[in-house]
Amino acid sequence: MDISAGIQASLAGRYAAALFDLASENGTVTAVETDLETLRQALAESPELRAVTSNPQLSRGAQGQAISGVAGHLGLSPLTTNFLGVLAENRRLSKLSDMIAAFKAIAAAQRGEVSASVTSAHPLSDEQLARLKDKLTAREGRTVMLTADVNPDLLGGLVVTIGSQRIDASIRTRLNSLSQAMKA
């Protein structure tokens, strides 16, 4: 398997790669990926869960018990639950969000996919998202997994990020460029 050196070089990437290898051996990559997405959503929605994962004053045992309870409540698979236990034991729960992102990147690369995000001033319709996904897939030569966000500060247009590439076609950027040109 070819994993980006950038992912492997990071602490989060090494843990994610180890989890991916175990999930591949067990044939549970999809289940673990679903578990991690559930966990990512829980982290985003719960300040208490974020506090448990990032509070250095909590003991390893307390973090382990708390995260085990969360895993049980969320119905996570045994492999994911054990992984979280290892993170708690090694005091690495604070890097969980980075590990989830790295795992998603590794799994997508394995499937020949590339992740992209689009930010627009207004919500895009399903048809617009499908057309954009098709155009990006044709441009990249591989399947693009698209996530959409809304940022009213853009005023209009889109900002598309594919890996380290950024295509900024927002009205805000155009107005800023025009303003800079008029000052010169």
Side-chain angles (χ1 to χ4, degrees):
M1 169 184 10
D2 179 31
I3 301 172
S4 141
I7 291 175
Q8 281 184 331
S10 70
L11 173 79
R14 289 191 303 272
Y15 274 91
L19 178 60
F20 185 84
D21 289 345
L22 287 171
S24 293
E25 288 173 14
N26 294 337
T28 58
V29 172
T30 304
V32 170
E33 197 168 11
T34 302
D35 287 349
L36 293 178
E37 179 57 26
T38 301
L39 194 54
R40 185 196 64 74
Q41 289 175 349
L43 281 167
E45 294 170 4
S46 172
E48 294 85 6
L49 180 56
R50 285 193 303 275
V52 165
T53 62
S54 62
N55 187 344
Q57 294 177 335
L58 287 177
S59 70
R60 294 170 197 246
Q63 278 186 324
Q65 284 180 323
I67 204 71
S68 177
V70 167
H73 177 73
L74 295 175
L76 303 182
S77 70
L79 179 59
T80 306
T81 302
N82 290 341
F83 176 72
L84 293 173
V86 168
L87 294 182
E89 184 62 32
N90 293 339
R91 304 292 272 168
R92 301 289 190 227
L93 280 173
S94 63
K95 300 289 184 193
L96 185 56
S97 293
D98 295 340
M99 291 175 198
I100 292 170
F103 187 93
K104 285 175 65 173
I106 292 167
Q110 184 68 13
R111 290 189 299 263
E113 298 172 350
V114 63
S115 295
S117 67
V118 60
T119 305
S120 58
H122 305 285
L124 298 175
S125 70
D126 290 341
E127 180 185 334
Q128 289 171 319
L129 286 171
R131 284 196 328 244
L132 180 59
K133 182 177 177 177
D134 291 343
K135 287 182 180 184
L136 292 173
T137 296
R139 178 180 187 262
E140 293 296 311
R142 48 191 174 154
T143 304
V144 172
M145 300 307 293
L146 194 60
T147 57
D149 292 318
V150 176
N151 180 354
D153 291 342
L154 294 178
L155 303 177
L158 302 172
V159 176
V160 179
T161 306
I162 305 171
S164 63
Q165 294 179 324
R166 179 174 231 168
I167 304 164
D168 191 339
S170 67
I171 291 177
R172 180 183 190 99
T173 299
R174 290 180 185 174
L175 288 173
N176 287 341
S177 298
L178 183 59
S179 173
Q180 292 299 320
M182 290 175 66
K183 288 178 183 177

